[in-house]
Amino acid sequence: MNERSSRIDGLCRRALEGAALPEPDLPALLEARGGEAEAVYATAREMRARHWGDTIFLYGFVYFSTYCRNDCTFCLYRAGNAASPRYRKTLAEVVAVCRDLAASGVVLVDLTMGEDPQIHDDPGHAGLLELVRAVGDDVGLPMMISPGLLPDEALSGLRRRGVDWYALYQEVHTPELYARLRLGQPFAARVAARGAARRAGLLVEDGMLTGVGDTSRDRAHSIAVMRREGCAQVRVMSLVPQAGTPLATTTSPRDEAELLSIAVLRLAMPERFIPASLDVAGIGGLEGRLQAGANVVTSLVPPGSGFLGVSHAELGIDEGERSVASVVPRLRALGLRPGSVEEYRGRLAALREGSGAVAS
Ligand code: SF4
């Protein structure tokens, strides 16, 4: 075994012994290759098994407005992209798709929108609050909301209406790189909004994007920051270059960067929710993400619903590949099983009570 392999081996052993690996140790794991990478994935699976058994939670995705006032350079739905598909679903359409998702067996609905000016400029965010109240009353599943930056009082209002999670992604945690991605959106404002959401009693998800000029040190920094912030769910996705955006001609990153990031997230934060998104590589990419240590499958969208995904707006949706029926046999083939809503609620309650709380 060469020096690099034996260092990676040692880091995996320390993670299994419960050590919180410091940030300077993480780039070596993120750069693992071949057999070294297999050792990192195996360690991540072992750590998932210790904290989560064979349980994987399935999340429905409801992208209810694709309008946005922002111009993130990586995003299909940026304001300046004339090629972007635009829609704003009615409350009845949102409730109906959430009902379909609940009936199919997801444990959570992720209500997502761009920073739609019509919704953000609505006094008191009344329409948004009404939407989550209607979904909560009708569907009764745990809810995540991904609405962009919101003021503190709106976050408190969402929690009072039963929302469990606030997702707000930094994507990169190195301010210079961030400034090239989220144009005109202050870095600190997103950090502050996640803090306000926590104080309002919401669980918080942050996430990182790879393939945007990030190095293994940038990814290690993101992982260390998300661990320190105490995000209860942490995700990584790869850039999918989008037509009509400044990053349209960027070379797609290797899948391995995302898979190793999932595994290192698991080594660094074994007790947290870590998604395998169907939005990047579709159903064909699911096994690799689960084998890297993910314990959540996200971006399930009902076929024929007219709702879109984010990175791959349509990939596999109308073919039924992003459905519970398509995912469950693939879980079973790996010795995994879908978690129930009751199990999921129990995990959320433990997080809130502190018994399963994340270290910050
Ligand atoms: S990433 Fe979100 S905030 Fe940025 S342009 Fe896209 S929809 Fe808008």
Side-chain angles (χ1 to χ4, degrees):
M1 190 181 283
N2 66 32
E3 195 181 325
R4 201 176 83 155
S5 300
S6 92
R7 180 170 181 223
I8 288 171
D9 206 48
L11 291 172
C12 289
R13 256 202 327 275
R14 279 173 52 206
L16 284 169
E17 288 163 5
L21 300 178
E23 182 178 333
D25 282 335
L26 303 183
L29 295 166
L30 292 163
E31 292 165 10
R33 296 285 175 268
E36 301 163 355
E38 290 309 318
V40 178
Y41 297 140
T43 305
R45 290 196 295 277
E46 170 61 24
M47 295 183 79
R48 178 184 63 198
R50 288 182 185 181
H51 288 267
W52 300 92
D54 58 358
T55 308
I56 304 290
F57 294 106
L58 310 185
Y59 288 6
F61 184 69
V62 180
Y63 200 178
F64 63 92
S65 173
T66 64
Y67 286 90
C68 188
R69 62 188 174 190
N70 292 327
D71 260 316
C72 301
T73 52
F74 56 86
C75 180
L76 174 66
Y77 302 102
R78 69 197 304 264
N81 188 4
S84 168
R86 302 283 177 200
Y87 62 73
R88 186 180 293 116
K89 299 294 185 183
T90 65
L91 190 147
E93 288 170 321
V94 175
V95 169
V97 81
C98 290
R99 262 189 217 146
D100 287 351
L101 283 163
S104 76
V106 304
V107 300
L108 170 140
V109 286
D110 174 5
L111 303 165
T112 297
M113 55 184 254
E115 288 196 11
D116 182 344
Q118 186 168 308
I119 298 171
H120 274 260
D121 295 344
D122 181 15
H125 296 84
L128 184 62
L129 296 175
E130 172 58 13
L131 182 139
V132 300
R133 189 202 55 74
V135 170
D137 285 355
D138 195 283
V139 180
L141 279 184
M143 287 183 279
M144 172 181 279
I145 185 135
S146 315
L149 208 56
L150 286 179
D152 297 7
E153 56 279 13
L155 294 168
S156 300
L158 290 166
R159 179 67 194 129
R160 282 197 301 277
R161 283 161 184 78
V163 173
D164 297 280
W165 290 92
Y166 177 57
L168 188 74
Y169 308 115
Q170 204 77 12
E171 306 298 9
V172 290
H173 298 77
T174 316
E176 308 73 48
L177 189 50
Y178 172 95
R180 300 209 303 264
L181 297 181
R182 291 202 180 273
L183 306 182
Q185 301 165 66
F187 185 94
R190 295 178 89 81
V191 177
R194 287 192 296 273
R198 256 182 228 105
R199 289 192 295 281
L202 291 155
L203 298 167
V204 169
E205 181 183 20
D206 191 3
M208 52 197 274
L209 184 66
T210 186
V212 289
D214 48 299
T215 65
S216 58
R217 278 171 188 262
D218 293 320
R219 295 194 287 284
H221 184 59
S222 284
I223 291 167
V225 169
M226 292 192 288
R227 176 170 59 185
R228 195 171 65 230
E229 267 195 13
C231 302
Q233 181 163 303
V234 285
R235 73 102 166 102
V236 54
M237 287 174 67
S238 304
L239 174 74
V240 176
Q242 304 290 342
T245 68
L247 301 189
T249 57
T250 305
T251 306
S252 298
R254 291 176 304 113
D255 219 22
E256 209 173 24
E258 181 181 330
L259 302 187
L260 280 166
S261 296
I262 290 173
V264 179
L265 285 167
R266 177 63 65 205
L267 266 60
M269 294 170 267
E271 76 289 13
R272 304 196 198 181
F273 292 93
I274 300 176
S277 174
L278 295 172
D279 208 42
V280 176
I283 196 73
L286 180 60
E287 179 175 344
R289 285 159 177 77
L290 291 171
Q291 292 295 71
N295 70 319
V296 173
V297 179
T298 60
S299 302
L300 281 85
V301 183
S305 62
F307 283 74
L308 294 174
V310 174
S311 299
H312 273 301
E314 298 180 19
L315 178 68
I317 293 176
D318 284 344
E319 294 76 12
E321 292 175 356
R322 286 164 66 163
S323 66
V324 173
S326 167
V327 167
V328 169
R330 289 167 168 89
L331 298 186
R332 304 256 187 233
L334 297 173
L336 302 167
R337 66 172 182 88
S340 67
V341 180
E342 292 67 34
E343 288 172 294
Y344 187 68
R345 286 193 199 284
R347 289 285 187 168
L348 297 191
L351 277 172
R352 291 217 168 81
E353 286 161 13
S355 58
V358 294
S360 57

